[in-house]
Every structure is written in structure tokens, then in C-alpha cells.
Amino acid sequence: MKTLPNQTASESAPSKRHSTAEDLFPDTLPRVTIATSPKPGTRPDEALNALLTGPQNQAEYDGQGWRLAAYVQQLEDRGWRFITRDIVRPGCRRPIAEYRIDRSDPGTAAALAARGFQ
């Protein structure tokens, strides 16, 4: 009588996928639209320069205009993306918005790279 060796069944490919459709077919991804810079010397340009230094809110955005939210909106219209959170500041009756650049957004990241920021 002949004895068969121990045989175990196993999958021919691992069950966990390590690639996605985006990895396999990068040409199918939508093109990244790079955020455009505002005209130098304008209020949106001043706001962008301030935001490049770190998070900004209206209470601390002194000497550069009173409409930070409006300047951020104009920047968003040009393709820039921001992370917004409500903060409580002394002297403010209600929470105010704090803005910081969303470096994970592809268009914003490309614009930052073009300006020499990481």
C-alpha cells in the first residue's frame, strides 16, 4: 500500500490585496488641478502668505484686513484647500474659525511644491 505525502490546501494568491485600481491604472485617475496664486500685493495674497507661516484666525490676523474668511474663500475659489476648525478666543462672544492649509490636498500640495514648500 502506497502512502501519500501530507497535502494541505493553500490559496495561490494572498487574500489581502496590496494594490488598488489606482495603483494599477494611474491613467484613470482624475488630473490634479494645481491651485493658483493670487495677484501679488492683494489681500488674498497677504492671507496666503500668513497661512503659509501657520494657522490663522481673525482675532490674531491683525494689520492685514478684517475679512480673513472672505480672503480664504477667494483662495478656495483659486483651488487652495484649508482645514477649518472652530476655536474659542478671549474677547470673542462665540467660537471663531481657524484656518490652516490642507497639505494633503493634491492641488494644494502641488502649488506648495511649486513655491518651494513641503
Side-chain angles (χ1 to χ4, degrees):
M1 180 174 196
K2 197 171 191 183
T3 307
L4 296 174
N6 283 342
Q7 294 181 348
T8 57
S10 64
E11 296 180 50
S12 61
S15 61
K16 293 182 181 178
R17 290 185 165 194
H18 294 289
S19 57
T20 62
E22 291 82 13
D23 294 338
L24 298 173
F25 305 103
D27 295 337
T28 63
L29 295 174
R31 295 209 180 268
V32 173
T33 302
I34 299 174
T36 58
S37 295
K39 186 176 177 180
T42 60
R43 293 291 188 185
D45 181 55
E46 291 172 357
L48 179 59
N49 288 329
L51 286 157
L52 289 171
T53 65
Q56 298 291 317
N57 64 72
Q58 188 63 62
E60 296 173 348
Y61 186 69
D62 58 349
Q64 299 181 22
W66 288 96
R67 297 174 36 93
L68 178 61
Y71 309 142
V72 167
Q73 180 60 55
Q74 290 177 28
L75 292 168
E76 286 179 335
D77 292 345
R78 300 182 75 82
W80 292 90
R81 297 295 171 252
F82 301 93
I83 297 170
T84 306
R85 70 181 184 130
D86 288 337
I87 61 170
V88 177
R89 300 289 305 163
C92 296
R93 290 180 284 176
R94 56 185 164 190
I96 60 173
E98 179 182 71
Y99 305 95
R100 69 180 166 97
I101 293 177
D102 183 357
R103 296 175 186 275
S104 66
D105 174 71
T108 300
L112 290 172
R115 284 177 155 246
F117 289 92
Q118 293 298 333

